[in-house]
Amino acid sequence: MIDKLIRPSVFLPLVSLVVVFGGWEIVGRSINPLLFAPPSEVLRQFGELLQTGELQDAAMVTVRALFLGYFLAVVVGIPFGILMGAWTRFGDILQPYLYAIFATPRVVLVPLIVVWFGIGFEARLFLVFFWSMIAISVNTAQGVRHARPDLVEVARSFQATRLQMARHVLIPGAIPFVVSGLRIGAERAIVGVIIGEMFLQIVGLGGVITKGSQELLPAKMLCAVAVIAVLGTIIVTALDTVEKRFQDWKGAP
Amino acid sequence: MKDTVLDIPAIELKGIRKTFTLSEDRDAKTVLALDGVDLKIRQGEFLTIIGPSGCGKTTLLRIIASLILPDEGEVIVEGEPVREPGIKRAMVFQTFGLFPWKSVIDNVIFPLMVRKFDAAEAREIAMKHIRQVGLDKFVDAYPHQLSGGMQQRVGLARALSTGADILLMDEPFGAIDAQTRELMQEELMKICQQEQKTVVFITHDLDEAVLLADRVLLMSRGPGRVREVIDVDLPRPRFDYDVRGHETFVKVRAHLWHELRNDLVEQRAEETS
């Protein structure tokens, strides 16, 4: 037990946590409570928010828009990406717009979305969907287009049919790229849902942050930030693990 | 009956010409890669092809495999003109060409699965060839877990599992370290002798070309032509004595090197002038 604690990879993060949270507590207590909150206050606020059910309700709202939007992005984004990758002309036609979308800060879309969808659930859903779908499609298209020519030739030399080629060479070859797209798309989706809740309709976890700031309750904001951080970390870590698993599939050409 | 069949060459090439276009522009430069290659490869023969880099060795092999078509000329396999890859020819690739998402057994089964073999039968055939190349302990391993030499054993087992009489090998040991390569050369000779395979083997290694071959084909530098075909009259099996010390080996190798060197010197002179 002691041996384990002595290892730098274990005790350094522990020391870091103690120092940072200890320092935060000390500094937090000495600052105007309207501007900043120490961990103890955040914890107290957390209990309160849980008791009133505000935090759970907010989290549910966020998760609902996030998951539904992301689900739609996956369902639409992957086939769209396959089309873009397999049919080069289609990809060429879309290219300028994709570049434009990538080069433009995506927040500029928010007012447009308000015009199209209002500020309700649909608007937030679209924000999540659109932001993550682009990433999923572009990565999928890349995967389809980057089929390894050497493996295509191998399959051809053994007289694989088109269907067999797709099933045993093209699709498995594209999977690592698709999974990368899913991970990047999830990151985008999380940003999208929170932006929507902070700037469109003040609901969900993003809404809790905005309200906390308006009510001058920093502890409340920090509670929501912590929940978002944990939620995001779980989702991204899970997809990251899946992504790493498929790295070997890319292989050396 | 076997004798009448043996009269037909395993592979016959008639006036193979191939030009490549370098870019998609209208005034594109075209390069003549192969300029009239005629060749007969006997059944059960081990033919190695050597030549300066860029002489069209690999192009020629890919034409024999029908992976690309010649602009002019014909490829005839066991008496029949071919224009598509076929069951009588199996290829072994320089970079192994294994599917990273398939285990050793699934890689070896691939050609059989493509041809809709019964699953149990396919597995049995694949296992036999995996044992033959000494990989029985790695049946369920994935390519990235194997060394280069082991990966090429899988490539070889896969080609053997097709049951093809003709093996087309494109510098198969080029990416493998020198000691492993020697071992694999030995094993390849053993297998080919046992199974009576016809082999077309591309290499840029002079020793390898002479060691393995019944005949060595020397290609001229681009545009590729058959410059010379040399018989290697060395007793087989060639691994239980010092082949490299044998008089014939030394003579053939010296001759090949002399010819190759002239080409290389000329090529170098052209590049620097």
Side-chain angles (χ1 to χ4, degrees), chain B residues 156-217:
Chain B
L156 181 59
R158 178 172 63 186
L160 291 170
S161 81
T162 63
D165 296 331
I166 300 165
L167 295 182
L168 306 175
M169 307 182 83
D170 183 11
E171 294 195 30
F173 305 149
I176 294 169
D177 71 271
Q179 284 161 19
T180 310
R181 189 188 309 156
E182 294 210 5
L183 208 65
M184 293 197 61
Q185 288 164 349
E186 251 185 61
E187 286 172 26
L188 178 65
M189 284 193 280
K190 266 185 211 164
I191 289 169
C192 291
Q193 210 165 2
Q194 271 167 19
E195 311 246 332
Q196 295 282 302
K197 299 288 186 194
T198 306
V199 185
V200 184
F201 188 109
I202 305 242
T203 179
H204 59 256
D205 180 335
L206 267 177
D207 281 9
E208 187 171 72
V210 182
L211 171 73
L212 297 176
D214 294 318
R215 288 192 299 165
V216 181
L217 187 160

Side-chain angles (χ1 to χ4, degrees), chain B residues 4 9 18 22 28 58 62 72 81 99 104 107 110 128 132 134 138-139 141 148-149 152 188 202 208 227 265 269:
Chain B
T4 54
K18 181 73 187 174
L22 281 189
T58 296
R62 293 177 71 216
E72 282 171 40
F99 301 113
V104 168
N107 265 290
F110 181 77
K128 179 184 146 204
Q132 197 171 15
F138 299 91
V139 172
Q152 194 56 296
L188 178 65
I202 305 242
E208 187 171 72
R227 175 157 165 174
V265 170

Side-chain angles (χ1 to χ4, degrees), chain A residues 123-141:
Chain A
R124 279 179 286 131
L125 199 64
F126 182 78
L127 206 60
V128 175
F129 164 76
F130 188 69
W131 280 18
S132 59
M133 190 207 81
I134 300 276
I136 294 171
S137 292
V138 168
N139 276 277
T140 303

Side-chain angles (χ1 to χ4, degrees), chain A:
Chain A
M1 180 67 196
I2 297 289
D3 282 359
K4 266 192 177 170
L5 278 178
I6 285 171
R7 253 187 291 164
S9 64
V10 176
F11 86 78
L12 281 181
L14 283 178
V15 169
S16 149
L17 282 174
V18 168
V19 169
V20 168
F21 275 82
W24 177 7
E25 184 72 40
I26 294 164
V27 175
R29 278 168 193 268
S30 64
I31 290 179
N32 184 341
L34 293 179
L35 302 178
F36 200 54
S40 55
E41 173 58 19
V42 175
L43 216 60
R44 196 196 58 74
Q45 181 75 49
F46 195 77
E48 203 183 298
L49 286 172
L50 280 182
Q51 235 165 25
T52 60
E54 194 180 342
L55 204 58
Q56 293 95 310
D57 292 349
M60 274 311 295
V61 171
T62 302
V63 166
R64 211 157 64 92
L66 178 66
F67 280 23
L68 188 58
Y70 183 62
F71 174 75
L72 290 175
V74 173
V75 171
V76 178
I78 291 179
F80 197 68
I82 292 174
L83 215 60
M84 268 165 61
W87 185 20
T88 329
R89 293 283 162 267
F90 185 57
D92 289 344
I93 291 166
L94 286 178
Q95 182 154 321
Y97 309 105
L98 288 175
Y99 279 163
I101 289 167
F102 268 117
T104 315
R106 283 172 297 273
V107 201
V108 301
L109 283 177
V110 171
L112 262 181
I113 290 174
V114 175
V115 176
W116 293 341
F117 295 95
I119 58 164
F121 181 71
E122 293 81 11
R124 279 179 286 131
L125 199 64
F126 182 78
L127 206 60
V128 175
F129 164 76
F130 188 69
W131 280 18
S132 59
M133 190 207 81
I134 300 276
I136 294 171
S137 292
V138 168
N139 276 277
T140 303
Q142 212 190 357
V144 173
R145 215 170 296 158
H146 283 220
R148 280 173 52 187
D150 58 329
L151 296 184
V152 170
E153 185 152 273
V154 170
R156 226 154 61 73
S157 84
F158 293 120
Q159 301 151 282
T161 61
R162 275 164 168 265
L163 203 67
Q164 289 169 330
M165 180 77 80
R167 193 173 144 216
H168 295 282
V169 184
L170 303 181
I171 293 174
I175 282 179
F177 292 88
V178 176
V179 176
S180 293
L182 292 181
R183 201 248 312 144
I184 298 167
E187 291 169 8
R188 296 270 180 83
I190 294 165
V191 177
V193 75
I194 299 301
I195 296 256
E197 289 172 350
M198 290 176 73
F199 298 109
L200 295 175
Q201 190 181 21
I202 313 299
V203 289
L205 293 168
V208 173
I209 296 177
T210 305
K211 274 183 263 176
S213 132
Q214 286 161 356
E215 294 162 8
L216 293 177
L217 282 173
K220 193 169 168 181
M221 295 167 61
L222 289 172
C223 284
V225 170
V227 175
I228 293 166
V230 170
L231 186 71
T233 309
I234 291 171
I235 293 172
V236 173
T237 311
L239 286 168
D240 208 42
T241 316
V242 179
E243 192 183 352
K244 287 216 178 80
R245 257 191 55 107
F246 284 106
Q247 277 314 300
D248 296 325
W249 283 26
K250 284 190 183 170

Side-chain angles (χ1 to χ4, degrees), chain B residues 104-117:
Chain B
V104 168
I105 179 88
D106 287 338
N107 265 290
V108 177
I109 278 182
F110 181 77
L112 302 172
M113 187 214 60
V114 162
R115 287 175 190 136
K116 306 247 165 26
F117 267 62

